[in-house]
Amino acid sequence: MPGIRSNILSMAGYTPGEQPRDGEYIKLNTNESPYPPSPRVFDAIREALTNNRLRKYPEPMGDTFRQAAAKVLGVSPDQVLIGNGSDDILTILTRTFVPEGGLIASPTPSYILYRTLAELQGARFQTVPFTTDWQLPDPWPVAIADLTFIANPNSPSGTVIDPASIFRLSSRIGTPFVLDEAYADFAESNGLVNVGEGNVVITRTLSKSYALAGIRFGFAVGPEPLIREMLKVKDSYNCDVLSLAAATAAIQDQEYLRETRRKILATRTRLSASLTELGFAVTPSQANFIWARRNDRPMKPMYEALKTRKILIRYMNYPDYGDGLRVSVGSDDEIDVFLIELRKILNV
Amino acid sequence: MPGIRSNILSMAGYTPGEQPRDGEYIKLNTNESPYPPSPRVFDAIREALTNNRLRKYPEPMGDTFRQAAAKVLGVSPDQVLIGNGSDDILTILTRTFVPEGGLIASPTPSYILYRTLAELQGARFQTVPFTTDWQLPDPWPVAIADLTFIANPNSPSGTVIDPASIFRLSSRIGTPFVLDEAYADFAESNGLVNVGEGNVVITRTLSKSYALAGIRFGFAVGPEPLIREMLKVKDSYNCDVLSLAAATAAIQDQEYLRETRRKILATRTRLSASLTELGFAVTPSQANFIWARRNDRPMKPMYEALKTRKILIRYMNYPDYGDGLRVSVGSDDEIDVFLIELRKILNV
C-alpha cells in the first residue's frame, strides 16, 4: 500500500490483554488492583469538575503532580516527566533516544511491548535470555544499544534483579538505561537510588499499585539532562485535568498505598502456596502477579477452561523459553473462586 | 550529549500558548470555549466514577465512542480512530506515514506544531505560502511528500479552503492528505465528504467546539486501510475511562453544540466589526478566533499591554509573512472587557 512506512505495514501490532466489557468476568489477566483507588482520588476528580477546568487546557508539564511526586520520592521536580500511562513514557524514551535503524536491547522473556516499540521506530531489537534464576548474564552480550529496557520487577516472572548488578551494568553501558518499574511498589527494592547524574531512567505507573489503570497515568524519574530532551518529545498536553488531579491525590496518599500493598502481598503468599500445592512450579514473586509453570500437563487448556468459567488469566508462550500461566493477585474472594475452579479443572 | 538523537537535541521543542494558573486572566489565547461543556458530560464522568471503572483498563479502541461518533458523522466505526487530543492523532499520522528523512508538507502561515512533528520524526518539512486570499497555490509546488497537513479552517487566519480545490489537490497528491479540522464545527464546510476509499484523513478535537480542552480528546476519520495501520501505532490505551465517557456524552449532544456554535458565531461577528472599526484588517473567520493585523503601529506592544491588564491574546510573527494578533472568541462579557482595554491602549 503506498504511503505507509514499511516497518509499520509489516508489523502485527501489540495485542493488549483481553478487556471484556462483560462485568461478570473475574479479571486476573492484566494486573489491575482488586481494590479501589484512594478515596482522595474521587474527591480530587469531583473537585476538578468545578471551576471551568474541563474547558481549559491542563498544565502542560503537570507541575502540581511533579512537585507532589518529587516530595514523595525524594527527587527534584525537574527529574520527573509525566506520561499518559507508562506506555506513553516508554514511547517518549524510544523517540528521544533511538533513531531509525538503531538498536533496543532487553532481556527475555519480558514485556513484549518493547519489541513493538522497536518495530514502530524502525529500529532493531536484540533480546538477551535471563539466566535460569532470572538474573542478567555477566558479561552482558550486547555491543552498543541506543536504549536498554529492563522490566524490574519483570513480567511474567515477577522477579527482581540484584541491585548491585543493575548498578554495575548501567554504569558500564553508558547509553540510556531504563528500569521499567511498573510493579516496584510490590517489591523489596527499586532503582530510585540509581537515578543521579548518569544514564538511568526509571518509569512508574499508577495503573497497578495505585489502582488507576482506567485513568492512564505514568511517569519517569531520570537525570535532568535526559528529562529535558524527553520533554521536547512528549505531546504538549499529554495528561488531562482529571488524570492529573487523580494522580496527584493518589501519590499523596502513601498510607493508603501501604495498606493496599500489605493486603496484596498477603494474598500473593497464599496464592503461591496453593498453586505450589497443586503441582505448579511457582516463581517467587515481587509483583502483584505470580508466574506458574508445569511440565506434566499442557497449560493452555487450563487457561481456556478458566475462561469458560468466566475467569481470565494470562497464558504466555515465549520462543526459546516455553509457556506458563500469569495470574494477577486479585482479592481474596476472587483468588478463592479461581482456586476452586482450577482444582475442578485439574480434577484434584 | 551521548545517546540523544541529533534531531531531538538540535530542536527547540514546541511552545504551547500560555496557560497561567492564575484564574484572574481573561484567556483569549488558546481558542478554548467560553462556555462549559454539555451538562451530559458531567453526568457521564460522575457515572464513570462508579463500578470500579477507575481501577480497570479502558476500552483499547474506544468502541463506545467510535460508534457514537460514527452515527453522528455518518461514517463507519472502523473509519474512526481515537486520540489523546488531536495532537496525539497528528503524532500517530506522522509515525505511520513518515520515515526518518521523509518529507512533510504544509501551507504557511499555519499551525506551527507540524514543523515540530517533522523534527521529532527526523523528517524534512516543506512549507508552501498560502495565496493572498488564503487559498492553496495551483499547481501545488511540492514533488512528493509522505504526508501533507492542511489546517482547515486554518490558524491563525480562520479561513477555509475552497472545497473543490481540496478535492482536486488531494486526488492529485495520492499520499496521505490530512485535513486538520480542529475548528470545523465553526465553519460553513468541512472535508468529511472527501473521506472515502482514498488518501484523505480528517482530524477533529473536542477541545474547541465541545469545550473539553481539559480532557484531551481528538479523533481521526479516514479510509479503513489507513486507520488500520494507524491503530498499530497508537498506544494500546491512549484514552482514559473518564475522557472516553466525556467525549461520548459530548458528541451525542449535538443540540448543545449547535447552541454553543450559534452564540460563538454571533460574538465573532461583533468582535470582527469592532476590531475593523478600530483600524485593524480583520480576516473573515470561520473559526472561533479572529486574525487581526495593522501596519500603522506595532502590534506586539498591544499584546503586552493587554497582558499587563490580565488579558491574554496571541501575538504571532511568521517568517516571510509578518505579524498579527490572534484573538479567541470569548464570552460577550470577556470580549467587552477586551475591547474596552484595547481602546484605552490605542487611545481611541
Side-chain angles (χ1 to χ4, degrees):
Chain A
M1 186 170 307
I4 297 163
R5 290 172 72 196
S6 55
N7 54 316
I8 307 296
L9 202 53
S10 66
M11 67 186 279
Y14 175 76
T15 306
E18 298 161 273
Q19 303 297 351
R21 297 185 55 198
D22 174 354
E24 286 174 20
Y25 277 90
I26 292 181
K27 273 192 92 261
L28 304 174
N29 67 326
T30 51
N31 304 336
E32 291 144 332
S33 176
Y35 302 107
S38 159
R40 293 198 206 169
V41 165
F42 296 94
D43 295 343
I45 292 171
R46 288 199 188 89
E47 201 272 326
L49 294 179
T50 61
N51 293 323
N52 288 320
R53 280 166 67 186
L54 293 193
R55 70 176 173 81
K56 290 190 181 158
Y57 282 96
E59 290 182 349
M61 308 291 198
D63 284 337
T64 307
F65 174 82
R66 287 172 111 189
Q67 280 152 21
K71 201 169 164 189
V72 168
L73 301 170
V75 298
S76 145
D78 292 334
Q79 291 182 293
V80 178
L81 176 84
I82 59 168
N84 183 42
S86 68
D87 284 357
D88 184 27
I89 299 285
L90 299 175
T91 294
I92 292 167
L93 283 161
T94 308
R95 299 186 77 205
T96 307
F97 301 117
V98 186
E100 208 168 279
L103 178 65
I104 297 178
S106 183
T108 186
S110 188
Y111 189 24
I112 51 178
L113 182 71
Y114 305 142
R115 179 182 294 276
T116 304
L117 292 171
E119 289 172 348
L120 287 173
Q121 196 66 355
R124 292 162 295 137
F125 185 63
Q126 182 175 347
T127 53
V128 177
F130 274 109
T131 62
T132 48
D133 58 345
W134 296 97
Q135 298 297 307
L136 302 176
D138 190 3
W140 179 249
V142 181
I144 301 169
D146 295 291
L147 189 61
T148 304
F149 282 123
I150 312 270
N152 200 44
N154 186 50
S155 168
S157 60
T159 50
V160 163
I161 293 158
D162 164 47
S165 75
I166 290 272
F167 179 75
R168 264 199 317 276
L169 180 60
S170 64
S171 319
R172 208 177 303 151
I173 281 184
T175 53
F177 186 92
V178 179
L179 294 171
D180 178 347
E181 297 197 333
Y183 303 104
D185 287 326
F186 305 107
E188 284 155 32
S189 63
N190 66 63
L192 206 52
V193 291
N194 294 303
V195 175
E197 300 300 306
N199 58 330
V200 175
V201 177
I202 70 171
T203 68
R204 296 277 177 97
T205 178
L206 274 69
S207 295
K208 316 293 184 182
S209 55
Y210 290 96
L212 286 172
I215 69 134
R216 316 306 305 126
F217 198 91
F219 61 95
V221 184
E224 281 182 46
L226 300 188
I227 295 292
R228 235 181 348 254
E229 299 302 317
M230 292 168 68
L231 276 170
K232 297 180 187 173
V233 176
K234 88 171 188 68
D235 281 347
S236 306
Y237 303 103
N238 61 334
C239 296
D240 69 68
V241 164
L242 302 179
S243 65
L244 281 165
T248 306
I251 206 162
Q252 285 175 330
D253 197 349
Q254 290 293 306
E255 176 69 29
Y256 188 85
L257 174 69
R258 272 190 294 275
E259 180 55 19
T260 302
R261 177 187 196 270
R262 192 193 57 72
K263 289 188 284 190
I264 289 171
L265 265 50
T267 310
R268 181 177 77 191
T269 302
R270 190 166 72 84
L271 171 62
S272 299
S274 302
L275 286 172
T276 305
E277 200 182 287
L278 287 170
F280 288 91
V282 178
T283 308
S285 170
Q286 295 201 35
N288 68 336
F289 55 84
I290 61 87
W291 178 236
R293 310 182 74 200
R294 65 191 305 153
N295 296 321
D296 58 341
R297 45 201 293 180
M299 285 173 288
K300 196 169 186 190
M302 298 176 203
Y303 153 77
E304 284 160 350
L306 285 162
K307 189 172 175 182
T308 311
R309 293 157 192 246
K310 297 273 184 191
I311 299 169
L312 276 181
I313 63 169
R314 201 84 183 256
Y315 170 78
M316 310 280 223
N317 194 0
Y318 298 92
D320 302 322
Y321 170 80
D323 62 351
L325 302 177
R326 198 191 68 181
V327 185
S328 306
V329 178
S331 68
D332 281 313
D333 287 353
E334 288 172 330
I335 295 301
D336 285 344
V337 174
F338 162 73
L339 290 169
I340 287 166
E341 296 300 323
L342 184 61
R343 283 193 186 97
K344 287 185 200 160
I345 292 162
L346 295 170
N347 274 317
V348 291
Chain B
M1 187 169 309
I4 297 163
R5 290 173 71 196
S6 55
N7 54 316
I8 306 296
L9 203 54
S10 66
M11 68 187 279
Y14 175 76
T15 306
E18 296 162 274
Q19 304 296 350
R21 295 185 59 198
D22 174 353
E24 285 174 22
Y25 277 91
I26 293 181
K27 272 192 94 260
L28 304 174
N29 67 328
T30 51
N31 304 335
E32 291 143 331
S33 176
Y35 302 107
S38 159
R40 293 198 207 170
V41 165
F42 295 94
D43 295 343
I45 292 171
R46 286 199 190 90
E47 201 272 326
L49 293 179
T50 60
N51 291 325
N52 286 319
R53 281 166 67 187
L54 293 194
R55 70 177 173 82
K56 290 188 181 160
Y57 282 96
E59 290 182 348
M61 307 291 198
D63 285 336
T64 307
F65 174 82
R66 287 173 110 189
Q67 281 152 21
K71 201 169 165 187
V72 168
L73 301 170
V75 299
S76 145
D78 292 334
Q79 292 181 293
V80 179
L81 176 84
I82 60 169
N84 183 41
S86 69
D87 285 356
D88 184 28
I89 298 285
L90 299 174
T91 294
I92 292 167
L93 282 160
T94 309
R95 300 184 77 206
T96 307
F97 301 118
V98 186
E100 207 169 281
L103 178 64
I104 296 178
S106 182
T108 186
S110 188
Y111 190 24
I112 49 176
L113 182 71
Y114 305 143
R115 179 181 294 276
T116 304
L117 292 171
E119 289 171 346
L120 286 174
Q121 196 66 355
R124 291 163 296 135
F125 186 62
Q126 183 176 345
T127 53
V128 177
F130 274 109
T131 63
T132 49
D133 58 347
W134 295 98
Q135 297 297 307
L136 302 177
D138 190 4
W140 180 250
V142 182
I144 301 169
D146 295 291
L147 189 61
T148 305
F149 282 123
I150 312 270
N152 200 45
N154 186 50
S155 167
S157 59
T159 50
V160 163
I161 293 158
D162 165 47
S165 74
I166 290 272
F167 180 74
R168 263 199 316 275
L169 180 59
S170 65
S171 319
R172 208 176 303 150
I173 281 184
T175 52
F177 186 92
V178 179
L179 294 171
D180 178 346
E181 298 197 334
Y183 302 105
D185 287 326
F186 305 107
E188 285 155 30
S189 63
N190 66 62
L192 206 51
V193 292
N194 294 303
V195 176
E197 300 300 306
N199 57 330
V200 175
V201 177
I202 69 171
T203 67
R204 297 276 177 97
T205 177
L206 274 71
S207 296
K208 315 294 184 181
S209 55
Y210 291 97
L212 286 171
I215 69 134
R216 315 306 306 126
F217 198 91
F219 61 95
V221 184
E224 281 182 46
L226 300 189
I227 295 292
R228 233 180 349 252
E229 299 302 316
M230 291 168 69
L231 276 171
K232 296 180 187 173
V233 176
K234 87 172 188 66
D235 281 347
S236 307
Y237 303 103
N238 62 333
C239 296
D240 69 68
V241 163
L242 302 179
S243 63
L244 280 166
T248 306
I251 206 163
Q252 285 175 330
D253 198 349
Q254 290 293 306
E255 176 68 28
Y256 188 86
L257 174 69
R258 273 190 294 274
E259 180 56 19
T260 302
R261 178 186 195 270
R262 191 193 58 71
K263 289 188 283 191
I264 289 171
L265 266 51
T267 310
R268 182 176 76 191
T269 302
R270 189 165 75 82
L271 172 62
S272 298
S274 302
L275 286 172
T276 305
E277 201 182 286
L278 288 172
F280 288 90
V282 179
T283 309
S285 170
Q286 295 201 35
N288 69 334
F289 54 84
I290 61 89
W291 177 237
R293 309 181 74 201
R294 66 191 305 153
N295 297 321
D296 59 342
R297 45 202 291 181
M299 285 172 289
K300 195 168 187 193
M302 298 177 204
Y303 153 77
E304 283 160 351
L306 284 163
K307 188 171 175 182
T308 311
R309 291 156 194 248
K310 297 273 182 193
I311 299 170
L312 275 182
I313 63 169
R314 200 83 182 254
Y315 169 78
M316 310 280 223
N317 194 0
Y318 298 93
D320 303 322
Y321 171 80
D323 62 351
L325 302 177
R326 198 190 68 181
V327 186
S328 306
V329 179
S331 68
D332 281 313
D333 287 352
E334 288 171 331
I335 294 302
D336 285 343
V337 174
F338 163 72
L339 290 169
I340 287 167
E341 296 302 324
L342 184 62
R343 282 193 186 97
K344 286 186 201 160
I345 292 163
L346 295 170
N347 276 318
V348 292

